[in-house]
Amino acid sequence: MKLFVRDLTVIDSTYLDTARGFVGESYQVDVTLQGKLNDQSMILDFSLVKKQIKAIIDAEVDHKLLVPHASENCSVIIESQRTQVDFTLDDNSVIQLKCPTEAYCLLESETISIELLETYLEQVVLLQLPENILDLEIKLRNESISTPYYHYTHGLKKHNGNCQRIAHGHRSKLDIFINDEYNEELVKDWANRWKDIYLVSQEDIVEKSDLSFIVIKNDIDKLCTAYHAPQGYFELLMPAHRAEVLPKDTTVEQLAEFICEQIKKRIGPDTVTVYAYEGIGKGAIAEL
């Protein structure tokens, strides 16, 4: 007997890739359970599926940086409360982070893929389910988006939840209207501008000398950012050309406003409306 739940939850996270650097992703999650009926004539109550399995998935991978720990490009130093990750990219530039340990998911693989995440989550979740459940299948899939979209990574130091983690991300669509007419050219421009981007607030920029770890030397310009948040102290160094510094916080509300303001400066008196998405099915609207 099998039990299934479609769209159980959405995973918003970022993974490290040697070619792309930070890659923000949003995955929809489908779950299928196989097992024997319990004394309630159920495999598992739907309310428990939605609550218990979602909680495990969220704790393991949601709003975390997914790190290919077995990659020769990756070095990990685990301390009592914080963990340092050094990751060398194909162009010999480096991403370095030192953050509270719960901000990462370390995966024993050379690369991160949907198939790897599915297998990892199946193993972790199954161990925590009742004995009558004999097998579990987890399928991750991207939202189907027919228009241009972008992958972005950020951290929100003022957030009380897991959005404060300095390297989590989203795969997001964008809708831009000029005088209520959809403008594909502008959407393409912003999707290209923010392809695999790290978005950082100006107020979080620090000097290299302010970082608590030793900076790996090379000739590539570096961006350094750090902040204290409720979960602890977060630090990040990365290639400057893979990031964009914004004048305000990088909440989706501020991203929508920033895009809208930038377009308004170009087009003048016409009305600009921007729908900026944060992952799947949620976002903010700005209009000028």
Side-chain angles (χ1 to χ4, degrees):
M1 179 69 68
K2 293 184 179 180
L3 188 74
F4 69 89
V5 177
R6 300 285 182 259
D7 299 321
L8 173 70
T9 188
V10 173
I11 298 169
D12 288 305
S13 59
T14 285
Y15 67 88
L16 287 168
D17 181 85
T18 57
R20 299 169 66 184
F22 284 131
V23 184
E25 274 291 2
S26 298
Y27 303 108
Q28 294 172 304
V29 182
D30 299 330
V31 176
T32 302
L33 305 174
Q34 182 175 347
K36 301 176 181 178
L37 300 183
N38 58 23
D39 56 7
Q40 297 176 308
S41 298
M42 300 177 179
I43 295 176
L44 189 65
D45 188 289
F46 278 119
S47 64
L48 290 178
V49 175
K50 294 177 180 179
K51 182 178 180 180
Q52 185 177 358
I53 297 179
K54 181 183 183 304
I56 298 170
I57 291 173
D58 287 350
E60 290 292 329
V61 296
D62 190 49
H63 283 73
K64 291 193 175 190
L65 178 63
L66 311 178
V67 179
H69 193 190
S71 170
E72 62 181 11
N73 295 59
C74 186
S75 170
V76 177
I77 303 172
I78 301 174
E79 299 178 354
S80 58
Q81 294 183 325
R82 295 207 298 157
T83 293
Q84 180 174 334
V85 172
D86 298 339
F87 192 77
T88 303
L89 306 180
D90 289 343
D91 62 3
N92 204 39
S93 62
V94 179
I95 292 174
Q96 294 180 267
L97 306 98
K98 193 167 186 179
C99 306
T101 299
E102 63 265 28
Y104 307 97
C105 177
L106 304 180
L107 296 164
E108 291 304 319
S109 174
E110 295 183 359
T111 58
I112 303 297
S113 66
I114 284 183
E115 294 76 18
L116 173 73
L117 286 175
E118 289 172 342
T119 300
Y120 173 75
L121 289 173
E122 287 169 353
Q123 293 171 347
V124 171
V125 172
L126 188 59
L127 290 174
Q128 301 182 54
L129 296 181
E131 292 183 358
N132 69 300
I133 296 174
L134 306 177
D135 200 7
L136 168 75
E137 181 181 67
I138 292 178
K139 287 296 180 184
L140 307 182
R141 53 190 168 85
N142 290 127
E143 177 188 20
S144 178
I145 303 175
S146 60
T147 55
Y149 58 88
Y150 53 84
H151 302 257
Y152 76 98
T153 299
H154 67 154
L156 303 174
K157 70 178 180 184
K158 300 170 186 174
H159 195 274
N160 288 324
N162 293 334
C163 290
Q164 68 189 261
R165 294 169 179 168
I166 202 167
H168 75 276
H170 314 274
R171 175 181 182 265
S172 298
K173 67 176 294 187
L174 177 69
D175 294 327
I176 299 172
F177 297 85
I178 307 299
N179 295 329
D180 296 326
E181 290 189 10
Y182 180 79
N183 192 300
E184 185 173 1
E185 182 178 351
L186 286 171
V187 174
K188 283 182 179 178
D189 287 346
W190 281 92
N192 289 330
R193 176 170 172 172
W194 282 358
K195 179 182 178 181
D196 298 336
I197 196 73
Y198 185 86
L199 299 176
V200 59
S201 171
Q202 177 66 55
E203 68 178 26
D204 297 329
I205 299 298
V206 300
E207 298 294 329
K208 284 187 292 184
S209 58
D210 295 327
L211 298 173
S212 68
F213 52 81
I214 296 174
V215 174
I216 297 175
K217 294 182 179 180
N218 56 37
D219 296 329
I220 297 173
D221 287 341
K222 299 175 176 64
L223 177 143
C224 305
T225 178
Y227 54 73
H228 291 277
Q231 290 182 3
Y233 189 49
F234 294 82
E235 300 175 278
L236 165 65
L237 176 148
M238 66 174 294
H241 68 275
R242 295 178 181 266
E244 181 163 346
V245 180
L246 303 184
K248 299 179 181 178
D249 293 327
T250 59
T251 62
V252 69
E253 294 90 342
Q254 297 282 26
L255 298 185
E257 185 174 77
F258 177 78
I259 295 170
C260 195
E261 289 173 346
Q262 295 297 304
I263 295 173
K264 185 68 174 179
K265 289 177 183 177
R266 289 174 52 189
I267 69 166
D270 292 339
T271 300
V272 181
T273 306
V274 173
Y275 289 74
Y277 288 74
E278 185 182 74
I280 300 173
K282 62 186 188 300
I285 305 169
E287 186 172 271
L288 290 172

